[in-house]
Amino acid sequence: MKKPTAYCVCLLVIGYCAGCKPEPQTLQSLFPPDIVKSESFIIKNDVDTILRTNSGVILQISKGTFPKTNAVGTVKITVKEALSKGDMVLAGLNTIARDGATLESGGMVYWEISPEQPTLLHPVTFRLPTKSFLEGAQLFSLNPENIRAGWDLLHDLENTPQTKKITDGRQLYMTNCAACHSTDLKATQTGPALGNIHLFRSEDWLNRYTNSSQQMIAEGDTIALCLWEQWKPVIMPYFHLTDDQIRSIYAFIKNESIIQQIDSNEVKYITTCSLPANASFSSAVVSSPIALVDSAFIDLFYTFSTEKWGWLNVDRYLKWKSENTPSIDEVGKIRVRVKNMQELQFFQVFMVYKKKDIVLDLVFRDDTFGMYWDNKELDVPKGEATLVVLGRAQNDNGYRLGYLDIYVGEQTLYELSPQAASLEETKKILTGLGR
């Protein structure tokens, strides 16, 4: 039987408190405090300032934003980032809303100000770099007194020209293309699948072919001729789209291909073919076979303005096939039992999805780790998974680590035996989570 659409997952088990009632812990006792690197900036309060971190996060600060400064009129800004799922785990963070709903993250950033401020006089604008754009993403914040209580929704993000291009492209694709091309970008329908087409066709070629395919065939464009030989007598209609609208469609296709993590060889593209001997065309205009063209993309950022500091998170609520409620074939239960748990100290459990930017914080209960929120056991999405077990030994305080590949939904209970590992090995594994 064909498995349902799956997300790859990593389960990470961190610690156990031996000899006491298990309670949620932070990772501060497990990892060194500087495990997630920070950057600090000294800025003047009487001038407009733009800061850029090594990871490309941009802060735009208006003059006079801070009511309190030190004696020389400056403040210190400290920034940490958790832009990858591995960094989220290292920071002890998750993607769970305060009500227990699952979120998908586009990236997290932490910032603090010294001296401490009662409030800000102007909002600070953040721009978080991203390779893809999650439509419907919003800004969330975290209670600094309890970072495991879930994320609080603040407000929508700013709609930039880059993100508008993608959202407009989705609408244009659904209106003009979805009748013949699949919406998952991988399946063949009346027309070919279009996932990753930006890797195999140049932008100029795509713009011209989308509006003038028959003209390119008549002119003898070899790729157009090859496509015609495979798909005739179906003729792609003339859409009367502007060049900007066509670019928006392919911006959406590229963004969706990245979000779905479609491999470059998952969709096959014609680059050459053997044309029949009687093929004729009016001129010898030839397209060079194209494979893996330059995939440079517009600079893409999540943009928001806020007067809050601490941990901020760009997230959207997880979308199911029916938008709000998952079907029975989309979810299951998960429980993890860690062998020799009495030999460990501290605990924390995460479930990290590979094809979704989701980090779920699991809870210890009745001798196993599972997905609980407000004393209720919740369903988790089905999919391929790797169980990663991590703890700290009582006898030598060393790290303990173990792995197991699973498919969530095939069974409910899994067992793992952690083995000794160095901090460097542990960090390497966590950094690669979900990739």
Side-chain angles (χ1 to χ4, degrees):
M1 182 176 69
K2 184 178 179 181
K3 294 177 181 176
T5 301
Y7 308 129
C8 292
V9 185
C10 297
L11 283 181
L12 166 66
V13 180
I14 301 185
Y16 168 77
C17 181
C20 63
K21 180 181 178 181
E23 295 290 346
Q25 306 287 327
T26 68
L27 296 186
Q28 294 173 352
S29 53
L30 188 62
F31 294 119
D34 62 346
I35 194 75
V36 177
K37 300 298 183 184
S38 63
E39 298 177 58
S40 295
F41 307 86
I42 304 297
I43 69 169
K44 294 181 177 180
N45 194 38
D46 59 355
V47 296
D48 294 334
T49 303
I50 296 179
L51 306 177
R52 185 184 183 98
T53 70
N54 290 330
S55 298
V57 174
I58 297 172
L59 287 74
Q60 294 178 271
I61 304 170
S62 301
K63 65 179 180 180
T65 291
F66 307 105
K68 293 176 63 177
T69 65
N70 59 23
V72 294
T74 63
V75 297
K76 179 182 177 181
I77 306 293
T78 301
V79 182
K80 290 183 180 182
E81 300 140 338
L83 303 181
S84 70
K85 288 167 281 190
D87 285 341
M88 294 173 196
V89 170
L90 289 170
L93 302 170
N94 59 48
T95 61
I96 307 173
R98 181 174 287 275
D99 62 1
T102 301
L103 304 171
E104 289 182 82
S105 180
M108 305 176 184
V109 62
Y110 170 89
W111 73 302
E112 64 182 24
I113 313 154
S114 179
E116 292 185 6
Q117 306 291 317
T119 186
L120 299 185
L121 301 180
H122 306 287
V124 173
T125 298
F126 285 78
R127 302 181 72 204
L128 269 62
T130 179
K131 293 181 179 179
S132 60
F133 169 67
L134 291 173
E135 295 181 58
Q138 298 170 296
L139 181 64
F140 293 75
S141 68
L142 203 57
N143 179 358
E145 302 299 323
N146 185 3
I147 66 172
R148 299 186 73 190
W151 293 91
D152 293 311
L153 175 62
L154 292 180
H155 53 72
D156 293 340
L157 304 183
E158 297 177 17
N159 195 9
T160 66
Q162 293 87 352
T163 56
K164 185 177 185 302
K165 189 172 188 176
I166 293 170
T167 54
D168 288 350
R170 174 186 287 278
Q171 182 60 48
L172 288 165
Y173 183 91
M174 296 303 176
T175 301
N176 297 281
C177 312
C180 296
H181 300 279
S182 62
T183 55
D184 70 0
L185 305 182
K186 294 179 284 189
T188 296
Q189 294 185 170
T190 307
L194 297 178
N196 281 331
I197 194 170
H198 59 283
L199 298 179
F200 297 89
R201 305 284 187 262
S202 69
E203 182 178 293
D204 288 343
W205 191 94
L206 287 170
N207 283 1
R208 187 159 181 244
Y209 185 81
T210 302
N211 259 347
S212 310
S213 61
Q214 291 300 303
Q215 181 179 340
M216 292 179 70
I217 292 167
E219 291 174 349
D221 182 284
T222 53
I223 292 179
L225 282 165
C226 289
L227 290 170
W228 175 245
E229 286 299 316
Q230 179 170 350
W231 295 97
K232 67 183 182 182
V234 177
I235 297 176
M236 189 162 70
Y238 179 66
F239 296 109
H240 302 281
L241 296 171
T242 67
D243 286 348
D244 283 344
Q245 288 176 318
I246 294 173
R247 280 190 285 267
S248 292
I249 289 173
Y250 289 109
F252 157 71
I253 291 173
K254 174 168 184 177
N255 184 70
E256 194 67 17
S257 299
I258 295 171
I259 289 175
Q260 295 189 30
Q261 297 187 23
I262 301 174
D263 292 335
S264 60
N265 61 354
E266 193 168 348
V267 179
K268 304 300 182 183
Y269 283 96
I270 292 174
T271 55
T272 59
C273 68
S274 298
L275 295 174
N278 62 350
S280 62
F281 40 84
S282 57
S283 60
V285 179
V286 177
S287 292
S288 300
I290 300 173
L292 294 179
V293 300
D294 181 10
S295 60
F297 197 41
I298 56 175
D299 288 337
L300 198 55
F301 293 87
Y302 293 109
T303 303
F304 59 86
S305 298
T306 182
E307 297 175 8
K308 293 186 72 72
W309 53 89
W311 277 108
L312 303 169
N313 186 7
V314 172
D315 264 307
R316 75 174 178 186
Y317 288 97
L318 181 61
K319 292 186 176 181
W320 305 96
K321 292 177 182 177
S322 59
E323 291 297 324
N324 297 320
T325 305
S327 61
I328 193 170
D329 66 336
E330 292 181 282
V331 294
K333 305 290 186 186
I334 184 71
R335 296 191 185 97
V336 181
R337 180 175 292 135
V338 180
K339 294 182 179 179
N340 303 318
M341 205 158 46
Q342 70 279 4
E343 299 175 3
L344 304 176
Q345 55 181 329
F346 311 118
F347 79 92
Q348 195 160 351
V349 181
F350 294 93
M351 186 159 61
V352 182
Y353 285 74
K354 189 166 186 178
K355 289 199 172 184
K356 296 283 184 179
D357 289 324
I358 298 172
V359 178
L360 299 182
D361 190 354
L362 305 188
V363 176
F364 183 78
R365 182 173 297 178
D366 299 329
D367 297 325
T368 61
F369 297 96
M371 184 59 195
Y372 297 94
W373 201 262
D374 286 341
N375 296 318
K376 293 172 58 179
E377 185 175 16
L378 303 182
D379 293 324
V380 295
K382 293 182 178 180
E384 296 176 34
T386 301
L387 269 60
V388 182
V389 181
L390 176 65
R392 202 76 179 262
Q394 293 233 45
N395 57 352
D396 61 5
N397 205 35
Y399 293 96
R400 297 293 185 267
L401 189 65
Y403 310 87
L404 179 65
D405 291 331
I406 67 169
Y407 186 93
V408 178
E410 289 184 343
Q411 66 186 67
T412 301
L413 179 64
Y414 299 90
E415 290 190 347
L416 288 172
S417 299
Q419 306 296 321
S422 68
L423 176 61
E424 290 73 21
E425 291 172 320
T426 301
K427 184 176 179 181
K428 182 178 179 181
I429 294 301
L430 299 187
T431 301
L433 281 177
R435 292 183 178 177

